[in-house]
Amino acid sequence: MKRMIKVIAVAAATLMPLSAAAQKNINNAVDAFGSNKAKYGIWKETNEKNPQGAYCNIYQFRLPKKEENKLDFVRKAFYQDASDAYDVFVKKANDKTRSYRSIAYGDNLEKRLWFGWPATKRGRNYLFMFVESKQDSDYRYVYGLEWYYDGKDVEGSVVKIYSKNPKKVKSSKSLSTQKLSGKKLTSIDAQNGSTTILHDREGRAMEMSPASSPSDPIQQFGNLRAAYKNSLRERNIRNTTLFTGLANSILDLCKKKGAQMSVAEKQLCVEGLKEMQQDTPDKFIKGIFDVAVGVLNNNAEK
């Protein structure tokens, strides 16, 4: 009988549903958080599941400030897995810029969640990551932690979403480029939020659109990384002007704001740089990323 149960369990594992999560650390952390309501101060739980398999789990919590360390394992899991994400949204409470994420979910992307500006202009912290499903390339996962302080308490929500990837179902291309007064305007539709990066003639990123121009260095790195990866998908790497400009912009960011990053944030950026190196055949651009990694590692040692 035990042998039969074991066989059934193995068979079930090989036939896991498409919603089986790929990011082990953050997935386990969110599930552990949601399974112990009393310990983590969960006062409201939302569980939505659609017929085709998409789902959205939200755990709203309230804890005394002195127990905020109960959130640490979720934060740690986020940074452990964030290098696998195609997009991250990190925003700190004192960041007053108009950065946000609009998250579409549901079987037909008919539902939506908003995080950041304009719903909450300041005072909230966000750690969100967006990961492509390895089981079905048309689907993605969203994992997130939002928290803020209210009097003697820390409040917020932990989020886990599985649904179609808006980037995959859109009929139009996610990357478009046009000439603009001798400059280049690159618009990247990253996760239902429009990020616009203006490049000079050498391809260096000059400025971002007000709707997505964060002051937080980890978010700036995430936007530049998304621009680089989307460019790789859409363009021939032999056209090196844009890629070299983006790489130099990333290096400039690491030099100017690397010291502002936490140890975990530096490690997240280092992992992202190494991943971009692997995807890039151009030796010069690989070298730029090497220098950026060195800058971040030197900052981490100080």
Side-chain angles (χ1 to χ4, degrees):
M1 183 65 179
K2 290 183 178 179
R3 179 179 176 83
M4 183 178 294
I5 293 174
K6 185 176 181 181
V7 171
I8 292 173
V10 172
T14 58
L15 296 173
M16 292 176 73
L18 293 178
S19 59
Q23 270 46 56
K24 181 178 180 180
N25 295 298
I26 189 64
N27 186 69
N28 290 346
V30 172
D31 287 349
F33 188 91
S35 65
N36 198 328
K37 296 180 177 62
K39 181 177 180 179
Y40 299 115
I42 297 173
W43 62 272
K44 184 178 180 181
E45 180 179 354
T46 302
N47 295 299
E48 299 180 22
K49 189 169 184 179
N50 297 80
Q52 296 179 31
Y55 62 79
C56 175
N57 299 330
I58 302 176
Y59 307 103
Q60 294 176 258
F61 64 86
R62 183 183 298 113
L63 289 167
K65 281 184 180 179
K66 62 183 180 180
E67 297 182 18
E68 185 182 354
N69 60 354
K70 290 181 178 180
L71 303 175
D72 287 349
F73 79 105
V74 180
R75 296 183 182 120
K76 179 180 178 181
F78 174 89
Y79 286 113
Q80 285 176 320
D81 287 344
S83 60
D84 294 330
Y86 66 82
D87 187 22
V88 295
F89 178 56
V90 178
K91 186 176 183 181
K92 297 176 183 177
N94 59 357
D95 186 346
K96 299 178 182 180
T97 56
R98 297 179 177 184
S99 55
Y100 66 91
R101 281 298 184 275
S102 172
I103 304 173
Y105 68 100
D107 282 328
N108 298 306
L109 301 176
E110 71 279 8
K111 301 176 182 178
R112 186 157 299 190
L113 292 175
W114 286 85
F115 295 98
W117 183 93
T120 52
K121 296 183 178 180
R122 60 182 65 91
R124 299 201 178 199
N125 302 274
Y126 301 96
L127 293 178
F128 276 79
M129 59 187 291
F130 306 82
V131 188
E132 292 180 351
S133 170
K134 294 182 179 179
Q135 290 78 26
D136 188 333
S137 60
D138 288 334
Y139 281 72
R140 58 88 191 272
Y141 297 93
V142 180
Y143 300 98
L145 169 64
E146 170 193 15
W147 76 98
Y148 59 95
Y149 303 101
D150 185 8
K152 297 181 178 180
D153 296 328
V154 55
E155 302 184 21
S157 59
V158 173
V159 177
K160 176 182 174 182
I161 295 173
Y162 176 77
S163 71
K164 287 182 178 178
N165 188 339
K167 294 174 66 177
K168 296 297 181 68
V169 300
K170 289 183 177 179
S171 57
S172 59
K173 291 184 177 181
S174 61
L175 180 70
S176 61
T177 304
Q178 66 185 72
K179 299 282 186 178
L180 182 65
S181 301
K183 300 175 182 178
K184 195 169 289 186
L185 183 67
T186 305
S187 298
I188 299 144
D189 188 356
Q191 199 51 46
N192 280 337
S194 179
T195 300
T196 302
I197 302 176
L198 185 63
H199 301 273
D200 61 17
R201 290 182 176 85
E202 302 303 319
R204 184 181 300 273
M206 297 172 61
E207 60 184 84
M208 294 185 181
S209 64
S212 298
S213 54
S215 61
D216 193 300
I218 191 69
Q219 181 61 21
Q220 289 179 307
F221 182 91
N223 283 341
L224 288 169
R225 175 178 177 269
Y228 191 90
K229 291 178 72 68
N230 279 330
S231 297
L232 279 174
R233 293 190 189 99
E234 300 290 337
R235 295 178 175 280
N236 190 329
I237 188 62
R238 292 192 182 95
N239 183 4
T240 60
T241 302
L242 178 59
F243 294 99
T244 303
L246 285 169
N248 280 324
S249 296
I250 290 172
L251 175 57
D252 285 346
L253 175 65
C254 293
K255 287 180 177 179
K256 294 176 181 177
K257 297 191 176 181
Q260 299 175 23
M261 300 182 191
S262 68
V263 173
E265 289 172 340
K266 290 188 184 78
Q267 185 58 38
L268 173 60
C269 291
V270 166
E271 293 299 323
L273 286 164
K274 290 180 179 178
E275 180 190 23
M276 288 188 288
Q277 273 186 317
Q278 292 177 353
D279 295 338
T280 303
D282 188 281
K283 291 183 179 180
F284 181 77
I285 296 176
K286 283 179 181 287
I288 294 175
F289 290 147
D290 260 334
V291 176
V293 168
V295 169
L296 292 177
N297 286 336
N298 288 336
N299 282 330
E301 293 171 0
K302 292 179 181 179

